[in-house]
Amino acid sequence: MSEPHILIVEDEKKISRVLQLELEYENYKTEIADNGKDALRLMQEKDWDLVLLDIMIPELSGLEVLRRIRKVDESMPIILLTARDEIHDKVSGLDLGANDYITKPFQIEELLARIRVHLRTPKKTQKENESKLSIGELQVHLDRHEVIRGTTLIDLTRREFDLLVCLLRNKNIVMSREQLLEQVWGYDYFGETNVVDVYIRYLRKKIDKNFDPAYIQTVRGIGYTIKDIHS
């Protein structure tokens, strides 16, 4: 079994270095981010097993980082670190989806114990348990990365596939361009929002053109939704 990868998000260099040394002594792989933007970048670039997230960090607060992570990853174990023993911080963090919190100063043995507990807990989410999404005659097999409409096998790029999955998981809900950007392109996509329109057009050509009915619907001034208009 490979060593778990832990991201340490902490701007106090002495604390982050101590955490890194202690965790690596316990055979964890680690990296450090000292601000919120770097934390989101590293989350996007690599796969992590757990995040230690300080609330008081520059660029983006720990709570904002937590909020953005939870929009795209519901199961990542996240332990909040805070120097402020205030109920408000803890409640806000738990409401936003943190798995646990520990108040500084803390004993490293307690933190290690909490890390072990969360790494042992299976990640069970609705998204992981799904094997197929469908609407009408359109079927998406997640495990095989396969899309079928009726009897026609449709070839999609990875981004088109991810966009279709996002729409299907939110079917009959109108998704704004900004929501689609966050969920499909990532935490901090800095390009133009019209990339969504471009990929919607690509997707329509493949799953709706030459078929009836058309599933992808435009809601003027808001965004897009996918629905079976005959249902």
Side-chain angles (χ1 to χ4, degrees):
M1 180 178 178
S2 60
E3 300 91 343
H5 285 60
I6 296 178
L7 177 60
I8 301 166
V9 186
E10 169 62 71
D11 65 321
E12 295 185 45
K13 296 188 183 300
K14 288 183 180 179
I15 294 176
S16 61
R17 183 56 179 156
V18 168
L19 286 172
Q20 185 174 49
L21 290 172
E22 292 286 352
L23 291 171
E24 292 186 349
Y25 182 77
E26 298 292 327
N27 294 318
Y28 297 118
K29 298 286 188 181
T30 68
E31 281 196 48
I32 296 171
D34 62 8
N35 64 74
K37 288 186 177 179
D38 283 349
L40 292 176
R41 176 181 56 79
L42 286 169
M43 283 294 301
Q44 196 172 12
E45 290 176 355
K46 299 184 179 181
D47 293 327
W48 302 96
D49 296 292
L50 185 141
V51 179
L52 296 177
L53 178 60
D54 186 32
I55 288 180
M56 299 297 290
I57 50 175
E59 303 290 346
L60 292 171
S61 73
L63 293 179
E64 177 62 17
V65 171
L66 171 61
R67 185 186 69 82
R68 297 193 189 193
I69 291 174
R70 281 294 177 249
K71 282 193 171 183
V72 295
D73 191 331
E74 299 175 0
S75 64
M76 171 69 62
I78 299 175
I79 300 176
L80 294 181
L81 310 177
T82 176
R84 299 182 300 175
D85 191 11
E86 295 182 4
I87 295 298
H88 174 75
D89 292 327
K90 297 171 182 177
V91 171
S92 296
L94 294 173
D95 283 345
L96 286 169
N99 300 87
D100 203 350
Y101 62 83
I102 189 166
T103 303
K104 295 185 285 187
F106 50 80
Q107 296 296 318
I108 191 66
E109 291 81 7
E110 180 184 0
L111 178 60
L112 290 172
R114 295 188 186 207
I115 289 172
R116 288 193 293 270
V117 167
H118 290 294
L119 288 177
R120 283 199 303 266
T121 303
K123 299 179 183 179
K124 294 181 179 179
T125 68
Q126 180 183 3
K127 291 180 182 179
E128 289 177 330
N129 291 333
E130 290 171 332
S131 61
K132 184 177 78 170
L133 297 169
S134 64
I135 189 166
E137 62 179 3
L138 179 67
Q139 298 181 37
V140 176
H141 297 272
L142 301 177
D143 51 349
R144 305 199 299 266
H145 206 276
E146 187 176 83
V147 178
I148 300 171
R149 177 145 190 184
T151 58
T152 304
L153 183 64
I154 298 171
D155 183 37
L156 297 183
T157 66
R158 179 176 177 179
R159 190 73 75 187
E160 291 165 353
F161 184 87
D162 290 346
L163 179 57
L164 178 59
V165 167
C166 182
L167 289 169
L168 282 171
R169 282 185 172 142
N170 296 278
K171 62 184 175 182
N172 301 315
I173 298 172
V174 180
M175 303 287 288
S176 70
R177 291 170 178 80
E178 290 74 18
Q179 288 173 315
L180 290 169
L181 277 174
E182 278 199 26
Q183 295 191 32
V184 178
W185 276 261
Y187 308 97
D188 276 330
Y189 177 79
F190 293 110
E192 296 294 328
T193 57
N194 66 2
V195 70
V196 174
D197 304 310
V198 172
Y199 273 84
I200 287 288
R201 188 162 63 248
Y202 293 159
L203 201 51
R204 276 178 164 150
K205 286 181 179 178
K206 293 184 177 182
I207 71 166
D208 280 344
K209 188 177 180 181
N210 302 321
F211 293 99
D212 184 55
Y215 292 128
I216 299 175
Q217 304 292 311
T218 301
V219 180
R220 189 178 299 276
I222 302 177
Y224 299 99
T225 185
I226 191 166
K227 61 182 180 179
D228 187 347
I229 62 175
H230 292 334
S231 63

